[in-house]
Amino acid sequence: MSSINRSLSRRRFLTTGMAVTAAGGLGGVGGVLAAQEEDRNRGSAEDPFQALKEAPTPLIMDALTRLGHDRNQLAMSRGIRPMIPARGTIVGPAVTTKYEESAAQTTREDIRAHVFRPVDEAEPGSVWVTASGTREILSMFGDVIVLACRQKGLAGLVTDGGCRDIEGMEEIGLPVYAAGTCLYGPGSVIRPVAADVPVVCGGIEVAPGDVVAADVNGVMAFPREALPDVIQKIAELDEKETRSRRAIEQGQPLETAYEF
């Protein structure tokens, strides 16, 4: 299947599955019922984030912007990027770890309480957000921790610090977003001080339970309570984009085909 066809298939799901999800599963026509059945088969009835997993992050951001949210408070720094090849969108509730610059030595209990425990207690589908608390790029985790996250069923990891063991991560296959790579860990520069608290990561505040979305375009987060409106708005925006694409494919000039 060509990349164009894959994109169109993805967006066809948006215009049906998202509309159904936003409407709470109500509808009487056969096409909508068929879409509902397809959504159930995909597990969307059990996964409130399924609709967003079919949407690229720019479309999610467009929806939030049109709903009145400040994009500058939603988009993480452009420096945070995929550490392994990224395909599709990861979406899930945030689980957080907070680091701070500290002269005090990191203890084993610090690591257990604020690094290991959040991973061990995270719900499947969560996205682990680790705020380094420093501008220095240090490795916040490597392939062993990423493996543990995959085994727990996490959707991915995000940090404004660095990471290492990239080849190992690629073999594991769990999406990892970071500001770079580094051969060594935090050492005595920073230490973990809290977990499951609001953190500032990539220039934005992320609270536990916030919706985190990430793909090859970037990383973003927004309040969970906005999710139903975002899903509905994405369906509306996608319908407009789909009409524009079809008009362009039919030979119309961009001036008349593009819907603002």
Side-chain angles (χ1 to χ4, degrees):
M1 181 183 291
S2 70
S3 59
I4 293 176
N5 287 336
R6 283 196 299 269
S7 176
L8 290 176
S9 296
R10 189 182 192 192
R11 291 181 177 276
R12 286 193 187 101
F13 173 74
L14 283 171
T15 56
T16 55
M18 283 189 174
V20 170
T21 304
L26 297 177
V29 299
V32 173
L33 291 175
Q36 286 179 307
E37 182 60 32
E38 182 178 355
D39 283 353
R40 282 193 290 269
N41 292 337
R42 289 171 178 262
S44 61
E46 300 176 358
D47 183 359
F49 305 102
Q50 181 60 47
L52 293 193
K53 293 175 184 177
E54 300 294 335
T57 55
L59 192 60
I60 300 173
M61 182 64 78
D62 285 348
L64 284 157
T65 301
R66 284 161 175 76
L67 289 168
H69 295 266
D70 183 355
R71 61 188 181 188
N72 294 317
Q73 296 180 9
L74 304 177
M76 288 192 184
S77 165
R78 298 181 184 88
I80 300 178
R81 59 192 187 278
M83 292 292 101
I84 64 174
R87 289 196 170 196
T89 306
I90 65 165
V91 183
V95 172
T96 63
T97 291
K98 180 180 180 179
Y99 279 75
E100 288 182 353
E101 293 182 343
S102 175
Q105 187 68 32
T106 300
T107 67
R108 292 184 178 180
E109 184 53 35
D110 291 335
I111 299 296
R112 289 192 183 101
H114 308 315
V115 180
F116 294 165
R117 199 167 296 154
V119 172
D120 290 338
E121 296 179 354
E123 293 295 325
S126 300
V127 178
W128 186 29
V129 178
T130 299
S132 67
T134 179
R135 293 186 177 181
E136 184 175 351
I137 299 299
L138 303 165
S139 176
M140 309 308 296
F141 41 73
D143 63 336
V144 173
I145 290 181
V146 173
L147 176 61
C149 290
R150 189 195 69 180
Q151 293 300 105
K152 287 295 297 183
L154 270 66
L157 300 83
V158 175
T159 182
D160 56 1
C163 58
R164 59 185 182 179
D165 306 322
I166 304 302
E167 288 186 347
M169 290 183 184
E170 190 164 359
E171 290 181 4
I172 295 166
L174 188 67
V176 175
Y177 294 79
T181 60
C182 184
L183 299 177
Y184 47 85
S188 59
V189 180
I190 58 176
R191 70 185 183 96
V193 296
D196 294 323
V197 298
V199 299
V200 175
C201 183
I204 66 170
E205 182 172 303
V206 181
D210 279 357
V211 180
V212 180
D215 64 10
V216 69
N217 298 287
V219 185
M220 59 183 294
F222 62 91
R224 175 73 176 260
E225 56 266 25
L227 185 59
D229 290 337
V230 170
I231 291 173
Q232 183 173 4
K233 181 60 67 174
I234 286 175
E236 296 173 6
L237 294 176
D238 185 71
E239 286 182 8
K240 291 174 63 175
E241 289 190 3
T242 298
R243 288 195 298 267
S244 293
R245 287 189 181 87
R246 287 174 178 168
I248 291 170
E249 290 171 348
Q250 292 168 2
Q252 289 189 30
L254 188 58
E255 184 176 359
T256 57
Y258 191 92
E259 293 191 30
F260 288 98

